[in-house]
Amino acid sequence: MRTQVCIIGAGPSGLLLSQLLHRKGIESVVLERKTKDYVLGRIRAGVLEHGFVELMREAGVGERMDREGYIHDGTVIAYDNHQFRVDFAARANATVMVYGQTELTRDLYAAREAENGKIIYNVDDVSIQDADGAAPYVEFNVDGNGQRIDCDYVVGCDGFHGVSRKTIPETVRKEYEKVYPFGWLGVLSETPPVHDELIYSNSTRGFALCSMRNENLSRYYIQCPLDHSPENWSDDAFWEELKRRIPEETAEKLITGPSIEKSIAPLRSFVTEPMRWGKLFLCGDAAHIVPPTGAKGLNTAASDIFYLYHGMAQFYIDGDTEGLDSYSEKALARIWKAERFSWWMSNMLHLYPEQSDFDRKMQRAELEFLESNESAQKVMAENYVGLPF
Ligand code: RFL
Ligand code: PHB
């Protein structure tokens, strides 16, 4: 088989890239290790930056998002039984969209299927060959049969545990990592959200986040030790702990119900450099991870796709490789800023196991400064709604 671009991974990054390329007349094949239902079963991100929202529209998949998504023009930060609001519209002249990763991925699958996009599921033993040569190809197995795709470019959209990043030799690849000493226990419940905006809460018992998917679907998180598992947490125990970590007035309004999903995610900051090696490009979680405190994971994937899609269009339409040649540098410049923002928000809001009284005072000073200072709110708002591509 031959194609122009072989994309590894049918998560949001891979699907969005193949959809955008298709609209420019560029052919791709997407290889996915799992099934579509498996990918759609993962409950992950919920907040889209305004630039990502535009990119979804440009990809022709914005219709349901625009109809069913919720525009948020601010967020609430709580600490010590007290809360304040950061107004994105006033401080950064932009908003975000609350629309779940599951729904966005479903829309991308529907679009690829409607346009006969080629996605091969249940692939095993994917290996990228001659990525640094003139004629790269990808080998893999499906149902025990070996197959090969020859292509111009390979794009690794295969997440943190994929094979693409590891294809780049260790002598070329440099990895930067910070692992946080806690995780997030997340619960999805068919209950109305406690508030019409997200609430990020720093409490003496640890971090909590009140988020949502729609008017009868809420997403809540609490910081938990890394050695806990979802089975340690009954629904009642989760709701009790959440109520103790948010301001009393909000806790009184919280409507609880059975969880329909419960999972624990570890928190990590990670970047690999470079994001291009020969004919291989890395996008999304394959190249970088952020802690979820700032909702940047999926959004950084989208900015990679933005740069790579434009670079590929420039090459296939105008024969100019400038966009591809500058991809890694441009993508990384933006990634590091999102890494900084997620790290800053994580530091400000979590309870660290070894935190001293001094560290706690620093967090409090950070929160008080943010609450009282318009410039600090402007910095936060600009980062939260998304820095320009
Ligand atoms: P994905 O979504 O991980 O998709 C990668 C796809 O590649 C497939 N794959 C392979 N296919 C073929 N061959 C191989 N060898 C393969 N290896 C892997 C996988 O099956 C999968 O389908 O990466 P992508 O597309 O870059 O998208 C990134 C986002 O999914 C990610 O940044 C966010 O979901 C991160 N994230 C969150 N971000 C937020 O902004 N807010 C959140 O609340 C939030 N929660 C989360 C998260 C990530 C989590 N992970 C990775 C465990 C919660 C969790 C649990
Ligand atoms: C979510 O709704 O899942 C969500 C929202 C904001 C975050 C992280 C997760 O910062």
Side-chain angles (χ1 to χ4, degrees), residues 8-14 31-34 39 42-46 101 123 126 157-159 161-163 221 265 283-286 292 295-298 301:
I8 305 175
S13 303
L31 304 179
E32 169 57 50
R33 191 172 49 141
K34 303 282 189 183
V39 177
R42 298 188 281 219
I43 308 295
R44 291 185 175 178
Q101 178 168 337
V123 302
V126 171
C157 295
D158 49 352
H161 301 287
V163 296
Y221 296 94
C283 294
D285 280 14
K296 290 289 164 236
L298 183 57

Side-chain angles (χ1 to χ4, degrees), residues 40 42 45 56 61 64-65 68 99-109 213-214 217:
L40 289 174
R42 298 188 281 219
M56 287 289 285
V61 283
R64 193 164 70 99
M65 173 191 76
E68 296 179 11
Y99 190 64
Q101 178 168 337
T102 313
E103 300 314 314
L104 173 147
T105 310
R106 201 187 302 283
D107 296 343
L108 285 164
Y109 274 121
R213 292 293 177 270
N214 61 46
L217 193 57

Side-chain angles (χ1 to χ4, degrees), residues 86 90-91 369-381:
V86 177
R91 304 278 177 251
F369 182 61
L370 182 61
E371 178 170 11
S372 61
N373 188 285
E374 261 185 39
S375 305
Q377 291 190 10
K378 188 167 154 57
V379 170
M380 175 178 164

